[in-house]
Amino acid sequence: MSLKRFLQIGSRERRISVLKRFLVDEASATIASRRRSADDGGSLGPDLVSRFLDHAKKTGRPLHDDELFSVVMNIMLAGRDTTACALSWGFYELSKRPHIVQKIVEEVEQTCGVDDPDYSYDKISQLRYTHAVVMEILRLHPSVPNVHKYAVGYVFLLICIFSMCILRFHFASVPTVF
């Protein structure tokens, strides 16, 4: 470790300190907001912090802010590598297929507009072709390829076998081609 880093001096260390403070503030604000909703009896959302709070409420085991803070920081930082991986493979696949890029551009222009584009959630969720391209890239190049699943009972095992048969039938024609 360098002396500058140890003493936390220098422009790089100041930037890291500012970014760390921002992450801590955002995580603390998220936790406080979700806790207020839970304490007021309001409906908790589908996010993980709300689910943790809901589970704690059901089990009677209190969750401290430190525990929730660790969860939030993990969520905020964990997606960095998988997102970078997905974007890298996406740009690689799209660089080989300019006709697909052109279709995506046309779909975005048609759906969101050209002069004053509207990139709201509602508009973006209407991009069916773009969504299909993203799903295909993730199918060919999963960001987390080694997800191990184990059967917890016979029913689950039968569902897995049935699903695998459907996938095999569905992707019977050259599944490695984009």
Side-chain angles (χ1 to χ4, degrees):
M1 177 185 294
S2 72
L3 184 60
K4 279 186 174 183
R5 186 174 292 173
F6 179 74
L7 296 175
Q8 296 183 352
I9 56 175
S11 62
R12 180 176 183 269
E13 282 66 29
R14 279 192 296 274
R15 283 194 324 262
I16 290 171
S17 179
V18 168
L19 290 173
K20 183 178 177 185
R21 175 69 0 220
F22 173 77
L23 286 174
V24 167
D25 291 346
E26 285 297 311
S28 299
T30 300
I31 291 167
S33 169
R34 297 307 184 279
R35 240 190 230 288
R36 275 193 302 276
S37 294
D39 291 344
D40 294 344
S43 63
L44 294 173
D47 60 282
L48 284 175
V49 174
S50 296
R51 289 176 189 249
F52 271 88
L53 287 170
D54 189 43
H55 180 72
K57 191 179 218 179
K58 287 179 183 174
T59 61
R61 182 188 172 272
L63 272 173
H64 299 287
D65 283 352
D66 292 341
E67 294 171 296
L68 285 173
F69 179 77
S70 295
V71 169
V72 171
M73 292 304 287
N74 202 3
I75 292 167
M76 291 173 77
L77 298 175
R80 181 192 60 179
D81 294 335
T82 54
T83 302
C85 181
L87 286 171
S88 296
W89 279 116
F91 288 129
Y92 170 75
E93 291 292 349
L94 291 174
S95 70
K96 297 189 309 184
R97 295 169 182 81
H99 63 285
I100 292 178
V101 174
Q102 185 57 39
K103 283 184 180 180
I104 291 172
V105 169
E106 289 170 4
E107 181 186 41
V108 169
E109 288 177 349
Q110 181 182 3
T111 305
C112 300
V114 177
D115 297 330
D116 187 23
D118 177 14
Y119 297 121
S120 65
Y121 177 80
D122 293 332
K123 290 291 185 176
I124 297 296
S125 63
Q126 295 174 14
L127 301 173
R128 300 290 179 228
Y129 184 77
T130 304
H131 179 74
V133 169
V134 170
M135 292 296 108
E136 182 65 8
I137 289 168
L138 290 173
R139 184 185 71 82
L140 290 173
H141 309 287
S143 296
V144 185
N146 295 326
V147 177
H148 301 286
K149 297 188 180 190
Y150 302 96
V152 292
Y154 292 114
V155 175
F156 183 74
L157 183 59
L158 291 174
I159 291 171
C160 288
I161 292 170
F162 180 71
S163 299
M164 288 169 45
C165 291
I166 290 175
L167 287 174
R168 179 160 166 70
F169 175 74
H170 181 70
F171 293 115
S173 60
V174 195
T176 58
V177 175
F178 187 82

